[in-house]
């Protein structure tokens, strides 16, 4: 690998140090679910959801980040499923299930007891299938009590089939009997709404008005921070979980191309970090960026800057997607690194990138990691999909197709 600042090179690393790489037994296509468990015997297990069938999730012993060991790898019950998202609290893991088409099963989420990491045991399944549902795309589970998720439902019929996911909250304080306690969708997107349908983006840029990331933090347990694709960023008041209410909405598209993915609040700084996901190969939806948003008045969020982007001329024709995706989300768990001065995000063929946001009006890039294309990569390039940083400062990042897991140290 080239150790260089010149990130237009086919592979480059700057201010990160590569500790190890694992192709995960030939099933290295990984989704957006990365979470750490400290097992009863002291081992540190990284749990990772797969992007697509046939595998469901993999548990990797990362106690020594230079000597990775797969401890378990499970298969999905159906080829038309994906897991993509998971979270761990203690010895409980919740895994999302999404199907390729509406009406297929199983679709929802499954709760596992992982007290014996080599032998995950199913505790319960929450069914989110239905004639207009593909199940659960993403979930957020950090307090041991509630699952917040982007999901369809048996009784949710969208006016447009692209709007099939709403925000749902499920109480799992009794993990054997999960039950829904709240739901919200963009007014006008459900059949029977009094509100008119939203104006669509049109053509290839119509990605749908539906929930994606659904983050809730202990600093403000009465707020949910939603990436809502073509509806932009939405902040909900969930003090009454049964009746969420809109606090604010910020939407940059048009003129941009939608697909707002992640909203990361930095509470002490009155800032929001917001990503839009690149979803089209070849940079056709360029630029998909990381935005800095002033949230001093939470009813009126104001964009103030964007993080520097990789050079589009160098990356657009490299293969696959080219632009922003997800962030390390400061997951509120003891096993997660926290920073409100540094943002670490994934950029598909642009790799992994870190930014100093101490001056939120002038973010600057301080590190990147762009691995070479994995063997037999279908796009001919890396597609870095997700990132998680543990409390030791060890960075875990994954490839969307074949590359598996890369483990890094920060050198900044």
């Amino acid at each position: 690998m080239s150790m260089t600042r010149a990130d237009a090179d086919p592979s480059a690393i700057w201010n990160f140090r590569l500790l190890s790489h694992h192709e995960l037994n030939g099933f290295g296509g990984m989704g957006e679910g990365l979470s750490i468990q400290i097992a009863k015997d002291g081992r540190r297990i990284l749990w990772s959801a797969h992007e697509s069938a046939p595998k469901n999730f993999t548990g990797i012993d990362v106690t020594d980040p230079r000597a990775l060991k797969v401890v378990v790898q499970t298969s999905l019950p159906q080829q038309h499923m994906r897991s993509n998202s998971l979270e761990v609290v203690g010895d409980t893991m919740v895994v999302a299930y999404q199907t390729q088409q509406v009406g297929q099963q199983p679709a929802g989420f499954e709760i596992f007891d992982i007290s014996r990491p080599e032998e995950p045991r199913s505790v319960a399944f929450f069914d989110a299938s239905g004639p207009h549902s593909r199940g659960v795309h993403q979930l957020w589970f950090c307090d041991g009590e509630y699952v917040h998720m982007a999901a369809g439902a048996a009784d949710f019929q969208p006016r447009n089939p692209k709007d099939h996911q709403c925000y749902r909250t499920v109480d799992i304080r009794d993990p054997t009997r999960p039950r829904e306690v709240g739901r919200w969708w963009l007014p006008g997107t459900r059949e029977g709404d009094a509100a008119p349908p939203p104006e669509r983006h049109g053509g290839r840029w119509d990605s749908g008005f539906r929930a994606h990331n659904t983050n809730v933090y202990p600093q403000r347990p009465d707020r949910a921070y939603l990436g809502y694709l073509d509806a932009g960023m939405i902040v909900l008041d969930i003090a009454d979980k049964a009746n969420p209410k809109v606090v604010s909405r910020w939407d940059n598209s048009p003129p941009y191309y939608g697909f707002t993915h992640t909203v990361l609040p930095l509470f002490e700084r009155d800032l929001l970090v917001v990503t839009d996901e690149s979803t089209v190969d070849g940079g056709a939806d360029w630029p998909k960026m990381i935005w800095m948003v002033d949230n001093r008045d939470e009813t009126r969020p104001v964009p103030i800057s964007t993080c520097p982007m990789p050079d589009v001329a160098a990356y657009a024709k490299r293969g696959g997607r080219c632009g922003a995706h997800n962030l390390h989300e400061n997951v509120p768990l003891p096993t997660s690194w926290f920073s409100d001065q540094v943002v670490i995000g994934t950029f598909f063929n642009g790799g992994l990138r870190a930014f100093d946001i101490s001056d939120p009006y002038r973010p600057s890039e301080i590190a990147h990691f762009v691995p070479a294309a994995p063997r037999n990569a279908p796009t001919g390039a890396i597609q870095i999909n997700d990132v998680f940083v543990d409390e030791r400062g060890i960075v875990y990042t994954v490839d969307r197709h074949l590359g598996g897991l890369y483990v890094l140290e920060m050198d900044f």
Side-chain angles (χ1 to χ4, degrees):
M1 178 170 292
S2 173
M3 302 294 182
T4 176
R5 174 66 180 91
D7 64 343
D9 290 353
S11 60
I13 188 166
W14 175 57
N15 284 345
F16 282 115
R17 185 179 302 110
L18 181 63
L19 301 181
S20 56
H21 174 220
H22 202 299
E23 294 182 335
L24 304 180
N25 303 336
F27 297 98
M30 310 311 292
E32 300 173 52
L34 294 168
S35 195
I36 293 277
Q37 172 202 20
I38 305 299
K40 286 183 169 57
D41 58 10
R43 287 179 299 165
R44 181 178 296 259
I45 308 297
L46 175 71
W47 295 93
S48 182
H50 285 255
E51 166 67 19
S52 58
K55 295 303 179 185
N56 186 357
F57 55 82
T58 296
I60 308 107
D61 185 339
V62 296
T63 310
D64 180 350
R66 294 175 175 80
L68 309 179
K69 303 173 186 176
V70 172
V71 298
V72 65
Q73 191 169 69
T74 66
S75 297
L76 289 163
Q78 300 290 339
Q79 290 294 304
H80 60 243
M81 296 170 59
R82 64 192 295 217
S83 45
N84 186 63
S85 178
L86 60 75
E87 294 281 5
V88 172
V89 176
D91 290 334
T92 299
M93 180 167 68
V94 183
V95 182
Y97 292 146
Q98 184 177 42
T99 57
Q100 292 177 357
Q101 305 294 331
V102 298
Q104 294 176 325
Q105 294 181 332
F109 67 76
E110 191 166 9
I111 303 172
F112 290 89
D113 178 339
I114 54 171
S115 54
R116 293 176 55 86
E118 287 81 1
E119 300 175 3
R121 180 176 62 85
S122 179
V123 173
F125 175 76
F126 181 85
D127 187 3
S129 65
H132 307 282
S133 174
R134 295 176 56 205
V136 180
H137 179 73
Q138 177 271 354
L139 55 80
W140 180 266
F141 170 62
C142 298
D143 62 2
E145 297 184 350
Y146 294 94
V147 174
H148 305 268
M149 61 186 186
D155 60 347
F156 185 84
Q157 181 178 354
R159 283 174 168 164
N160 184 296
K162 293 184 178 181
D163 306 340
H164 55 82
Q165 290 166 192
C166 59
Y167 165 65
R168 301 180 67 185
T169 306
V170 178
D171 183 343
I172 67 163
R173 285 176 290 184
D174 179 351
T176 67
R177 295 183 179 180
R179 63 181 185 90
E180 181 178 17
V181 294
R183 185 184 301 188
W184 183 89
W185 60 90
L186 185 71
T189 57
R190 186 188 187 194
E191 285 289 352
D193 280 359
E199 183 178 351
R200 307 204 73 82
H201 287 195
R204 67 186 300 188
W205 310 119
D206 185 356
S207 297
F209 295 91
R210 63 183 189 270
H212 197 284
N213 276 26
T214 57
N215 295 15
V216 178
Y217 292 84
Q219 295 95 323
R220 289 301 305 267
D222 59 342
R223 295 290 184 265
Y225 297 88
L226 310 184
Y228 216 88
L229 299 195
D230 284 2
M233 175 204 79
I234 294 171
V235 180
L236 296 180
D237 180 337
I238 58 168
D240 178 359
K241 290 182 173 59
N243 296 287
K245 298 177 178 63
V246 174
V247 174
S248 62
R249 176 182 172 191
W250 173 66
D251 186 7
N252 59 22
S253 305
Y256 294 93
Y257 298 125
F259 223 99
T260 300
H261 187 283
T262 303
V263 182
L264 168 63
L266 303 178
F267 296 99
E268 296 297 320
R269 301 188 65 195
D270 290 323
L271 293 170
L272 303 173
V273 186
V274 181
T275 73
D276 295 332
E277 179 183 355
S278 173
T279 61
V280 185
D281 288 353
D285 57 354
W286 186 273
K288 289 298 184 77
M289 296 187 285
I290 299 176
W291 299 78
M292 303 299 300
V293 178
D294 185 318
N295 199 47
R296 284 175 290 178
D297 179 349
E298 67 168 348
T299 68
R300 297 179 180 178
V302 177
I304 57 174
S305 65
T306 59
C307 291
M309 294 289 288
D311 180 8
V312 64
Y315 285 93
K317 296 181 180 179
R318 184 172 292 186
R321 299 181 183 188
C322 177
H325 185 205
N326 205 15
L327 304 169
H328 172 72
E329 298 170 85
N330 285 346
V331 181
L333 289 170
T335 52
S336 176
W337 181 71
F338 171 84
S339 178
D340 62 5
Q341 303 294 315
V342 173
V343 166
I344 301 179
T346 59
F347 284 81
F348 295 115
N349 70 11
L352 183 73
R353 293 174 184 264
F355 305 95
D356 180 343
I357 60 164
S358 54
D359 180 350
Y361 297 96
R362 298 183 62 185
S364 61
E365 184 177 328
I366 55 174
H368 60 245
F369 170 61
V370 188
R375 292 177 295 174
N376 302 314
T379 66
I382 195 69
Q383 293 283 276
I384 292 295
N385 208 35
D386 198 16
V387 60
F388 179 83
V389 185
D390 73 17
E391 83 284 7
R392 303 176 298 177
I394 302 299
V395 181
Y396 308 91
T397 192
V398 290
D399 179 57
R400 183 181 179 90
H401 290 145
L402 290 171
L405 172 65
Y406 301 83
V407 182
L408 308 155
E409 279 184 333
M410 294 178 281
D411 200 15
F412 51 86

